[in-house]
Each structure stands twice: as structure tokens, then as C-alpha cells.
Amino acid sequence: MHFLAYGVAAWIFCIGIYGAIVSRNLIQLAISLTVTQSSTYILLLAIGYRNHATAPVFKGFENRTKGVDPVVQALTLTDIVVSVTVIALILALALDAHKDADTVDPDELVSLHG
């Protein structure tokens, strides 16, 4: 099961990177980066997954109860928050670029100066 999740994460990462390389629009670039970032969620959750494990709450369970790793769950939630913040910043910069140059094509934004 873990190897399947690793493969899915790798394919999603590759699709996102391909989209970032071929995008001719800053909005499409932001969406491609979001797809790339989503692959890290799958990877982190696959790392912390354990077969037949319970939630990481051990009150009332015996000491030998298997539980999933709560650290990678916390890292995934932190990754989501950081991703939303970065995408919001990229979209705000795209809006500023559109306001100044009337385009979101990165090739046409070369003429802009600070």
C-alpha cells in the first residue's frame, strides 16, 4: 500500500512540475504549484500510515496498541497552511502584474521594472 501511495505522489508531483514548466499564464502557474504541493500531502500521510492502526489517542488503550504517527499529520496540516499562504501571495503578485502590464503572460512581463 505504501509503494502505491509513493507512486501516486511521484506522478502528481511530475504533473504539477510539467504544468509549471509549460504554463504561459501566472494563474496556471499557481494552480500547477498547488498540484505539486498536493503531492507532498500524500507523501507525508503515506509515511505516517500504519496498517490496522488507530487514531493517535491512547487513553483507555493498552500499551501495545498500534497508532498512526501524529507528527506527520501535524506536518501535513502545517504544509496545507503554508501552501495556502504561498498561493495567496502568488495570486496577489499576479493581480499586481496584470494591473501594471495588462497581461499575466510571464514572457511579456520582462519589460516591467521595479
Side-chain angles (χ1 to χ4, degrees):
M1 180 66 178
H2 290 97
F3 295 113
L4 177 64
Y6 297 149
V8 169
W11 277 107
I12 292 174
F13 181 81
C14 290
I15 290 169
I17 291 295
Y18 175 77
I21 290 171
V22 300
S23 67
R24 294 290 101 210
N25 187 327
L26 292 175
I27 306 299
Q28 290 174 353
L29 176 65
I31 291 170
S32 297
L33 291 175
T34 303
V35 170
T36 304
Q37 187 73 23
S38 297
S39 69
T40 61
Y41 310 153
I42 297 170
L43 182 65
L44 284 172
L45 291 175
I47 289 171
Y49 178 78
R50 294 191 180 139
N51 288 332
H52 308 294
T54 63
V57 179
F58 298 111
K59 184 177 181 180
F61 290 100
E62 61 184 53
N63 289 340
R64 297 182 187 259
T65 303
K66 287 176 40 176
V68 295
D69 192 3
V71 174
V72 294
Q73 292 178 0
L75 286 173
T76 303
L77 288 174
T78 304
D79 195 13
I80 291 169
V81 171
V82 170
S83 174
V84 168
T85 305
V86 168
I87 293 303
L89 176 66
I90 290 172
L91 291 175
L93 291 173
L95 286 175
D96 281 345
H98 184 268
K99 183 172 61 173
D100 291 341
D102 289 330
T103 185
V104 288
D105 187 2
D107 292 335
E108 295 178 15
L109 294 175
V110 177
S111 62
L112 290 178
H113 297 288

